[in-house]
Amino acid sequence: MNILLIGSGGREHALCWKLAQSPLVTKIFAAPGNPGMTEAEAISLNSTDHPAVTAFCHDKSIGLVVIGPEAPLVDGLADSLCAANVPVFGPSAKAAQLEGSKGFTKDLCARSSIPTAAYVRTDNVPDALAALDGFSIPVVIKADGLAAGKGVIIAESRPDAEAAVKDMFDGGFGNAGTEVVIEEFMTGEEASFFAVTDGISIVPLASAQDHKRVGDGDVGPNTGGMGAYSPAPVLTPELERRVMDEILYPTVNTLRAEGMPYSGVLYAGLILTDQGPKLIEYNARFGDPECQVLMMRMRSDLVELMLATAEGKLADIDAPVFADQSALTVVMAARGYPATPEKGGVIGNIEAAETDDIKIFHAGTTIKDGRLVANGGRVLNVTAVAHNVTTAQAAAYKAVDAINFPTGFTRSDIGWREVEREAS
Ligand code: AMP
Ligand code: GLY
């Protein structure tokens, strides 16, 4: 079967690498792909031009399209492909509102009694300011729409909260901020949980924990993620069952009942509070870099799983198997990230760093004058698998040291919470 993979990040490189291991695959096309994806033919295809994408699929007899990032999902690419009878892994635009609109998800949680933070949704400054009276400090202010992970402000004082509200309505987050959600601040450790669903069945995949802040000890500005590990043992089997029963099933059942069945991967951002797991937010795609650690542990056939999801046949396949080991990934970012990453830094010695248990996934890289150079904020994902987080962490940093990327940097403490727990 021929596969078309949409995207160019570390997440898509990990998906590409895992898809290519399937005996079901004849050829993978990646649009646009990245230099690490040696398993695929890179093609130039504008994913916002839906007729061009469907024409390509018919021309190349594509049997499965895998959509990596959120923007094409929210933009309805899966709908266009479905209408053209091309099997696609990824939800419809309506179902992708789970990620595309925080207010949509909060309302759905309210209708379905899903545990999450109390909230108010508003589209104007006076109502938002009045609503702040109902919340204690800190309070969380969120732009409703997609804001590349930057639309969340945790206000530590009432003046900060008011300033955040005004900034969002002033267009500080573009169109994402034409509506705002004000939320109760929840306390607890965060973890992510991934599952695939065809709208009826839900198949749990694995848990992970990422590190959003740029600096060691979780300080500094938010990023897309500086590293991750899987599984996150803080999410015990008993808590995972509660997440399935109290969060995922009510979500999937409500969406189906309301005529917008969800098909694809559900990424639940969770916080483990004293009252149990609560939903922070949903994403309609795999996490980046969480996908890299998930793929590193996955032992079953990803193509089979994605096809069954796309065709509504998840009930017919065996549960996917994940190695009983820990995977950990360290992001090598370009100096200046997340504000102004430096482009063009030369990268060397990647191949020497790779072993059976170490895989380097590319993200923002490109080839210039025959050399591999940095071309984005997050550049490489150095990913290790080992018997626990402590050993995976040591192996990943050893590989980081072997890579020659003088204008790059990493955090030095990825996995620290679990490393501390393993030592105690
Ligand atoms: P997001 O950009 O939506 O992933 O949110 C960024 C981060 O904001 C989350 O990972 C949490 O750390 C934090 N956050 C969002 N909502 C809440 C909340 N209601 N209570 C506490 N922290 C929150
Ligand atoms: N690593 C966070 C995300 O993918 O949204």
Side-chain angles (χ1 to χ4, degrees):
M1 169 194 309
N2 293 338
I3 294 183
L4 171 63
L5 171 63
I6 308 281
S8 64
R11 166 182 51 213
E12 287 76 26
H13 185 189
L15 290 173
C16 185
W17 171 76
K18 186 66 195 161
L19 289 167
Q21 291 168 21
S22 168
L24 300 169
V25 170
T26 312
K27 180 160 182 153
I28 303 176
F29 297 91
N34 72 38
M37 298 186 196
T38 50
E39 309 84 356
E41 178 180 329
I43 51 156
S44 132
L45 194 57
N46 177 358
S47 64
T48 65
D49 184 349
H50 298 185
V53 178
T54 45
F56 178 88
C57 292
H58 287 142
D59 185 38
K60 300 289 182 190
S61 306
I62 298 294
L64 176 68
V65 178
V66 178
I67 303 177
E70 60 276 19
L73 294 168
V74 171
D75 184 41
L77 180 57
D79 305 75
S80 300
L81 289 163
C82 278
N85 286 321
V86 179
V88 54
F89 182 84
S92 67
K94 273 190 178 163
Q97 288 180 90
L98 271 192
E99 174 160 4
S101 165
K102 296 194 192 304
F104 172 89
T105 299
K106 298 301 286 188
D107 289 350
L108 181 129
C109 287
R111 290 200 297 285
S112 320
S113 304
I114 292 169
T116 184
Y119 76 108
V120 169
R121 185 178 181 183
T122 98
D123 65 1
N124 65 80
V125 175
D127 285 357
L129 295 180
L132 286 176
D133 291 336
F135 292 88
S136 46
I137 299 293
V139 60
V140 185
I141 321 279
K142 299 185 173 180
D144 181 75
L146 290 183
K150 296 186 186 82
V152 175
I153 292 183
I154 297 174
E156 303 282 351
S157 70
R158 175 71 185 236
D160 284 358
E162 293 182 2
V165 162
K166 287 178 187 153
D167 184 36
M168 283 191 190
F169 283 117
D170 269 353
F173 295 90
N175 283 340
T178 53
E179 236 193 270
V180 163
V181 173
I182 300 174
E183 262 184 41
E184 161 205 11
F185 178 79
M186 301 183 286
T187 311
E189 187 164 339
E190 287 180 44
S192 306
F193 188 67
F194 296 85
V196 290
T197 175
D198 56 10
I200 299 175
S201 306
I202 309 180
V203 173
L205 299 181
S207 61
Q209 201 168 51
D210 83 340
H211 298 64
K212 285 202 167 73
R213 304 298 192 101
V214 75
D216 283 359
D218 296 322
V219 298
N222 261 331
T223 70
M226 292 298 292
Y229 65 92
S230 172
V234 64
L235 206 59
T236 59
E238 135 106 59
L239 288 178
E240 285 191 2
R241 260 192 304 279
R242 286 187 63 181
V243 170
M244 289 292 285
D245 293 345
E246 297 171 19
I247 299 178
L248 293 191
Y249 274 110
T251 301
V252 168
N253 290 342
T254 299
L255 286 173
R256 185 178 66 249
E258 296 181 354
M260 42 188 156
Y262 190 100
S263 169
V265 60
L266 264 178
Y267 160 179
L270 305 166
I271 188 154
L272 309 179
T273 72
D274 292 345
Q275 296 111 52
K278 293 192 181 183
L279 182 73
I280 300 179
E281 60 165 7
Y282 273 123
N283 293 310
R285 45 157 179 97
F286 281 103
D288 187 346
E290 292 92 326
C291 184
Q292 290 80 314
V293 284
L294 257 55
M295 292 305 116
M296 201 73 176
R297 289 183 56 223
M298 190 173 180
R299 291 293 169 263
S300 22
D301 189 321
L302 181 61
V303 177
E304 183 188 48
L305 181 73
M306 287 184 157
L307 254 191
T309 305
E311 292 175 341
K313 294 179 179 163
L314 269 181
D316 300 343
I317 64 163
D318 291 337
V321 177
F322 285 80
D324 204 15
Q325 289 171 297
S326 296
L328 182 141
T329 189
V330 175
V331 169
M332 296 186 84
R335 210 155 56 191
Y337 179 72
T340 41
E342 200 174 310
K343 285 193 179 175
V346 177
I347 305 161
N349 217 31
I350 290 197
E351 294 74 19
E354 281 195 325
T355 68
D356 283 352
D357 296 329
I358 301 276
K359 178 74 196 165
I360 320 288
F361 296 115
H362 289 225
T365 64
T366 192
I367 306 282
K368 199 173 169 200
D369 303 328
R371 293 195 299 186
L372 187 69
V373 299
N375 190 41
R378 297 185 294 171
V379 178
L380 299 171
N381 307 126
V382 182
T383 313
V385 64
H387 70 273
N388 66 9
V389 173
T390 309
T391 44
Q393 187 198 55
Y397 280 109
K398 193 172 160 215
V400 164
D401 288 342
I403 294 170
N404 191 3
F405 179 24
T407 59
F409 74 96
T410 68
R411 273 182 61 161
S412 67
D413 63 348
I414 299 303
W416 67 269
R417 285 191 186 79
E418 201 48 37
V419 169
E420 273 182 10
R421 279 190 279 260
E422 286 175 356
S424 64

